[in-house]
Amino acid sequence: MKPDRASNGPESLETPPLPQGVSLAQVYSDFIGYIYRVTKNFFINNTPNGQQLWSRLGDQMPIVFCTPNGWDIRQHAVLTDASIRAGIVTEGNADDHLWFLTEGEASVHYSLAHTKTNSWLNKGTIFAVMDVGGSTVDSTLYRCQSRSPLVLEEVCASACVQAGGIFVDRAIREILERKLSGSEYCDPETISLIIRQFEQKTKRAFNGSQAANVIQFGSNKDNDKNYDIVKGKLTLSREEVEEAYLAVISSIVDNCNILLANRNVQHLILVGGFGESPYLREKLKCILGERGTEVVTIEEPSYVLSSTFEEILTFLNRKKAAA
């Protein structure tokens, strides 16, 4: 499903083999069917007159897929076929009921709703939106055609690069295996435990100022000062943590440079789960600030309100108005 124009970041995503006899089409079909059933049951059980409403309107509702920027008709066809196999649409009504929305479009409406755009967004303004997620970075340039109503135009084709947060986790694994080599803590299970703690706490708090970064992974009986382990706590230096970010940030900055080249782009809106990383934010503000581009961050974290959900509402309203 990787789009042809998606660029590799620090390294390509490794796709594990599927179980024997299980096709990619079946994986998507089973997953889509599961999501549909869970959604249906939740709606029926948590909405007044839910069963009656679903029986009356369920066959009429649109189903919106929010997809990476680089996905096109080939990937849409896979999702359409999987939806038919899952029984949520038929070949006859799939084109009417399945709608596809890019993550970039979802991100821009969410970010504009949660940033102070009054001070800089005007007709003719060109700005960038960068959605930095777990595995990919989707970037898009927009020109504001109108403030009220808000009308945006894509300046160029969206870019998609594999350089999300999981690559920091992969890099820290290599660092830990090297650091703990020769110790009793270098087994895969312990390494994985430390990485989970790193992802849940250290990565989300690290901003580059912490000289020592302590990761709790064991008990008071776990001690080995030769490997910076005291009472079940492993200490990583600032330089060790920064090393885990190097390749990812380099790839993201390269992507920015290509996107912004020869254009007067004064604002870049940073969104996405990994986009909330304090270290990533500070590095991008410093690097892009040197070229006159201000990095704008949203005022609410992504877990407060899904950008996808908010943009789906906008998307549905546009469809309704056009009908």
Side-chain angles (χ1 to χ4, degrees), residues 193-205:
L193 174 59
I194 296 173
I195 291 173
R196 285 197 297 273
Q197 295 300 314
F198 170 84
E199 196 283 327
Q200 293 171 8
K201 297 180 180 179
T202 309
K203 188 170 74 171
R204 304 184 186 199

Side-chain angles (χ1 to χ4, degrees), residues 71-104:
W71 283 26
D72 54 26
I73 190 171
R74 181 167 63 90
Q75 287 81 15
H76 294 173
V78 173
L79 295 179
T80 299
D81 180 66
S83 299
I84 294 171
R85 289 165 57 101
I88 67 174
V89 293
T90 66
E91 291 187 11
N93 65 20
D95 289 341
D96 293 327
H97 288 275
L98 298 183
W99 298 348
F100 297 94
L101 171 71
T102 66
E103 292 176 350

Side-chain angles (χ1 to χ4, degrees), residues 53 62 72-73 88 120 125 137 153 156 171-172 208 232 240 247 280 284:
L53 286 171
D72 54 26
I73 190 171
I88 67 174
W120 61 267
T125 299
V137 177
E153 174 193 31
C156 60
I172 204 68
E240 287 172 320
L280 175 63
L284 289 181

Side-chain angles (χ1 to χ4, degrees), residues 164-185:
I166 64 170
F167 294 104
V168 175
D169 298 341
R170 288 187 178 186
I172 204 68
R173 177 180 292 276
E174 295 178 359
I175 292 168
L176 290 172
E177 289 174 346
R178 184 175 67 239
K179 180 182 181 70
L180 299 178
S181 177
S183 76
E184 62 179 290
Y185 302 101

Side-chain angles (χ1 to χ4, degrees), residues 136-184:
T136 62
V137 177
D138 293 313
S139 306
T140 312
L141 272 183
Y142 292 96
R143 178 185 286 107
C144 179
Q145 300 285 67
S146 169
R147 275 292 306 268
S148 183
L150 180 63
V151 178
L152 303 175
E153 174 193 31
E154 283 194 29
V155 175
C156 60
S158 300
C160 181
V161 62
Q162 292 181 342
I166 64 170
F167 294 104
V168 175
D169 298 341
R170 288 187 178 186
I172 204 68
R173 177 180 292 276
E174 295 178 359
I175 292 168
L176 290 172
E177 289 174 346
R178 184 175 67 239
K179 180 182 181 70
L180 299 178
S181 177
S183 76
E184 62 179 290

